[in-house]
Amino acid sequence: MDLRGCIFDLDGVIVDTAKYHFMAWRRLAKELGFIFTLEDNEALKGVSRMASLEILLSKGNIHVTEKEKEELAARKNGWYVEFISGMKPDEILPGSVKFLKTLRKEGILTAIGSASKNAGTILDGIGLREMFDVIIDGNKISKAKPDPEVFLRGAQEMMLSPSQCIVFEDAQAGIEAAIAGGMKCVGVGSLELLGRADLVIPDLKKITLKQLRNL
Ligand code: B16
Ligand code: MG
């Protein structure tokens, strides 16, 4: 393929924030009177805040009004923001910085395509904001993954067509979004979960441009 741009999911690809989301959701579940496990948390990856809350509430068999949902989501986000406020560059996932530098050197554009409304805070905390030409996050989009909006906006702002872009994702919803947007995608994580991607790698440590151009 004629590779011109790479679009990265943030949580789980560039930085390991999944543990902080889990800690906050688990705390909320505990307050609501049930246990939320690490396994339950898999279904929340890449999913928007409100959709995540819906999944959590159905796990606990809890029914609340829309207004209460807003309040619960805000409570979870308050804890999450507190957890990520102390994030340091050493929480960047292995291989990310080196790979981003390689892309820059080769003139390939870089974008963030994240569902998170906290993406800016995280990028500032880990000092990576300037490594991305374009940042599309949960504040800029109206349709959550698996809708392709976030990645299509990324391609559009890089002034590229979807066929010139590759998406890097750790969540099934994100892989589906890339496919729906007509983009090649690389799953970062386990083959078992991300088998629908064009290529699955455990992390960004060993990925080469040659591998990507062959997709
Ligand atoms: P927030 P990504 C996603 O980020 C997370 O994977 C998901 O767990 C989270 O619920 C979602 O962002 C919304 O995050 O509550 O901070 O707006 O993986 O798309 O970078
Ligand atoms: Mg993710």
Side-chain angles (χ1 to χ4, degrees):
M1 69 173 287
D2 174 26
L3 176 62
R4 300 293 175 89
C6 288
I7 308 178
F8 296 88
D9 171 62
L10 180 63
D11 295 327
V13 171
I14 299 295
V15 72
D16 183 19
T17 39
K19 60 174 182 279
Y20 297 125
H21 278 296
F22 173 56
M23 282 160 65
W25 285 126
R26 186 181 53 184
R27 187 162 167 184
L28 187 68
K30 200 174 167 210
E31 285 198 357
L32 293 170
F34 67 98
I35 307 271
F36 191 71
T37 67
L38 200 54
E39 207 186 340
D40 296 329
N41 191 59
E42 268 310 306
L44 271 48
K45 286 189 181 171
V47 177
S48 73
R49 194 180 308 164
M50 290 314 284
S52 297
L53 177 67
E54 297 285 355
I55 296 170
L56 181 123
L57 291 175
S58 76
K59 166 82 203 340
N61 204 13
I62 288 173
H63 304 274
V64 292
T65 64
E66 288 306 311
K67 197 165 166 277
E68 282 164 329
K69 279 182 195 168
E70 294 291 339
E71 190 277 315
L72 292 173
R75 205 188 308 169
K76 178 266 173 181
N77 191 55
W79 295 321
Y80 177 70
V81 168
E82 210 176 292
F83 295 146
I84 61 170
S85 67
M87 278 185 88
K88 294 281 173 309
D90 64 1
E91 289 179 78
I92 298 171
L93 287 168
S96 313
V97 175
K98 189 165 161 251
F99 182 52
L100 286 165
K101 283 184 179 162
T102 304
L103 294 174
R104 278 282 163 95
K105 222 170 82 200
E106 291 288 321
I108 295 169
L109 295 174
T110 56
I112 283 288
S114 170
S116 177
K117 293 185 173 168
N118 294 298
T121 309
I122 296 166
L123 287 170
D124 287 338
I126 59 175
L128 275 194
R129 191 187 273 270
E130 70 285 358
M131 292 301 284
F132 297 96
D133 299 294
V134 164
I135 296 171
I136 309 294
D137 64 15
N139 301 297
K140 286 194 176 172
I141 53 158
S142 56
K143 289 175 240 146
K145 302 167 187 176
D147 188 283
E149 183 186 10
V150 64
F151 297 140
L152 291 175
R153 279 282 305 272
Q156 195 185 35
E157 288 203 16
M158 289 192 285
M159 291 199 276
L160 298 174
S161 69
S163 64
Q164 294 173 311
C165 301
I166 295 184
V167 167
F168 293 78
E169 255 294 347
D170 72 314
Q172 284 169 357
I175 302 286
E176 295 306 326
I179 294 170
M183 297 179 193
K184 294 283 182 198
C185 58
V186 174
V188 183
S190 83
L191 184 60
E192 204 187 324
L193 287 172
L194 308 173
R196 294 254 296 147
D198 297 288
L199 173 72
V200 179
I201 53 176
D203 52 48
L204 296 174
K205 277 196 271 192
K206 287 189 185 148
I207 186 75
T208 64
L209 287 180
K210 192 167 173 240
Q211 266 176 300
L212 297 177
R213 288 187 169 122
N214 281 337
L215 290 179

